[in-house]
Amino acid sequence: MPHWNDRAPIYQQLADQLAAGLLDGDPAEGAAMPSVRALAGIHMLNPLTVNRALQALGDEGLLETRRGLGLYVVSGARERLRATERRRFLETEWPRLRERLHRLGIGPEQLDWEERA
């Protein structure tokens, strides 16, 4: 179960978690999103909070409403989200991370990019 923090509204934190799932292909493009009620139960949140998170993803063009059927992941959502997240990382997170690495005296030769089992 996720732990919510005070750094961002809960609906935004949920939207970010759902977006991370979309980046991982869960659910796949063209597939239905879980219902508001199901997500509210899973995350133990008010359905209005869940609805706001889903609306935020819809506003970003990642989800579409199919009348009478629910919300579905749009085609191209994963690549659109990946491009947005890459840009955000390179513009905001990477400069801070690079500065911290420099401050700590960590060079490229000390970084291991490969995940170890």
Side-chain angles (χ1 to χ4, degrees), residues 2-79:
H3 297 280
W4 311 112
N5 61 52
D6 295 335
R7 288 180 233 149
I10 292 175
Y11 84 88
Q12 186 60 58
Q13 294 177 58
L14 177 59
D16 292 345
Q17 288 179 18
L18 295 173
L22 293 175
L23 273 173
D24 293 337
D26 181 32
E29 292 181 2
M33 287 294 292
S35 70
V36 169
R37 185 175 297 190
L39 288 169
I42 291 167
H43 297 285
M44 299 180 70
L45 292 172
N46 183 306
L48 294 173
T49 301
V50 173
N51 193 50
R52 193 161 178 199
L54 292 171
Q55 183 177 354
L57 295 176
D59 291 347
E60 291 180 34
L62 304 173
L63 304 177
E64 66 181 1
T65 301
R66 295 188 186 166
R67 193 166 182 84
L69 298 174
L71 285 171
Y72 284 75
V73 181
V74 300
S75 179
R78 188 175 186 194
E79 193 51 46

Side-chain angles (χ1 to χ4, degrees), residues 53-111:
L54 292 171
Q55 183 177 354
L57 295 176
D59 291 347
E60 291 180 34
L62 304 173
L63 304 177
E64 66 181 1
T65 301
R66 295 188 186 166
R67 193 166 182 84
L69 298 174
L71 285 171
Y72 284 75
V73 181
V74 300
S75 179
R78 188 175 186 194
E79 193 51 46
R80 181 181 303 126
L81 186 55
R82 183 177 286 143
T84 300
E85 289 299 311
R86 282 180 184 153
R87 185 172 44 256
R88 184 178 302 143
F89 175 79
L90 291 172
E91 291 174 1
T92 60
E93 294 177 48
W94 175 244
R96 289 191 305 250
L97 181 58
R98 187 178 53 225
E99 177 59 31
R100 183 157 189 217
L101 290 169
H102 178 73
R103 201 174 316 120
L104 296 173
I106 299 173
E109 66 284 349
Q110 294 170 288
L111 299 174

